[in-house]
Amino acid sequence: MKLLNVLILAISITVLSLDVSTVRNAYKEAAQDSSKIEAFSKLLTNVSKNDDVALVAYKGAAIALLARNEKRIKDKKDLFVEGISYVEYAIEKAPNNIEVRFIRLGIQENTPKILKYKGDIEEDKQFILKQFKNINSSNLRNHIKDYILQSKSFSDEEKSVFSR
């Protein structure tokens, strides 16, 4: 019993010690460089659906990114679906959290049409446009801004909101 308690404590400390800004940077790097996906995924190994919703969504993104490196189509689809289940769970738990909406937007923009996971792009885009000014964390503001400025889903006029 003591061993179980120590194990649970160790896992909890690992998750609590995750710095969200570190996770954000690892996500950005993994999305741009497939050689960094495995490290990003390992960073989030101990995250469960009971943790912070942003970490849950990033774990889902990590699993979805792992699908890129699979050889068999069935394995790609299975991993992608598993990853998306974490993202959608995070959104269900915190529908007004801009970071989880941003994560879903990024995945949907970069998902092949065949996976049919593009249905919330406009909703998430509008949510981000309306809520961006309310973000307190400069790290999160810059993270979202950097993505939006290179996104094809946002018009030049919409991007001007972020370049101020």
Side-chain angles (χ1 to χ4, degrees):
M1 187 66 171
K2 284 186 180 183
L3 179 61
L4 181 63
N5 287 338
V6 169
L7 185 61
I8 291 171
L9 179 63
I11 291 171
S12 297
I13 289 171
T14 302
V15 171
L16 290 175
S17 68
L18 272 180
D19 176 38
V20 179
S21 63
T22 301
V23 173
R24 287 177 190 138
N25 289 335
Y27 174 55
K28 185 176 182 178
E29 290 175 6
Q32 295 171 350
D33 181 352
S34 61
S35 70
K36 297 185 178 184
I37 294 172
E38 192 68 38
F40 175 54
S41 180
K42 281 187 167 100
L43 184 64
L44 298 159
T45 298
N46 294 324
V47 172
S48 75
K49 288 185 176 178
N50 295 324
D51 292 313
D52 176 78
V53 292
L55 292 177
V56 173
Y58 280 117
K59 179 173 183 146
I63 295 168
L65 284 170
L66 283 171
R68 286 184 183 174
N69 296 335
E70 289 297 318
K71 302 286 185 241
R72 294 180 34 218
I73 291 174
K74 182 184 180 338
D75 295 337
K76 284 179 181 276
K77 184 179 179 197
D78 289 348
L79 263 182
F80 180 78
V81 169
E82 179 186 350
I84 294 315
S85 73
Y86 278 86
V87 175
E88 292 299 329
Y89 177 85
I91 289 173
E92 183 182 308
K93 287 293 179 192
N96 294 322
N97 183 307
I98 195 167
E99 191 158 15
V100 297
R101 294 290 201 101
F102 160 73
I103 293 165
R104 180 172 70 180
L105 174 69
I107 293 170
Q108 288 192 354
E109 278 191 351
N110 293 290
T111 297
K113 287 181 184 176
I114 194 167
L115 291 172
K116 297 179 181 162
Y117 189 66
K118 294 188 174 285
D120 299 300
I121 290 175
E122 190 60 34
E123 177 186 332
D124 291 343
K125 186 176 101 166
Q126 292 306 317
F127 182 85
I128 291 167
L129 285 169
K130 288 178 186 163
Q131 298 300 320
F132 185 77
K133 65 186 176 296
N134 299 325
I135 299 173
N136 294 324
S137 163
S138 61
N139 179 267
L140 178 57
R141 285 177 67 86
N142 289 332
H143 182 60
I144 292 174
K145 177 180 152 186
D146 289 348
Y147 180 82
I148 299 306
L149 291 176
Q150 60 79 43
S151 169
K152 291 183 174 114
S153 291
F154 289 79
S155 69
D156 288 341
E157 183 181 333
E158 291 167 333
K159 288 178 182 181
S160 70
V161 170
F162 299 95
S163 55
R164 292 181 200 152

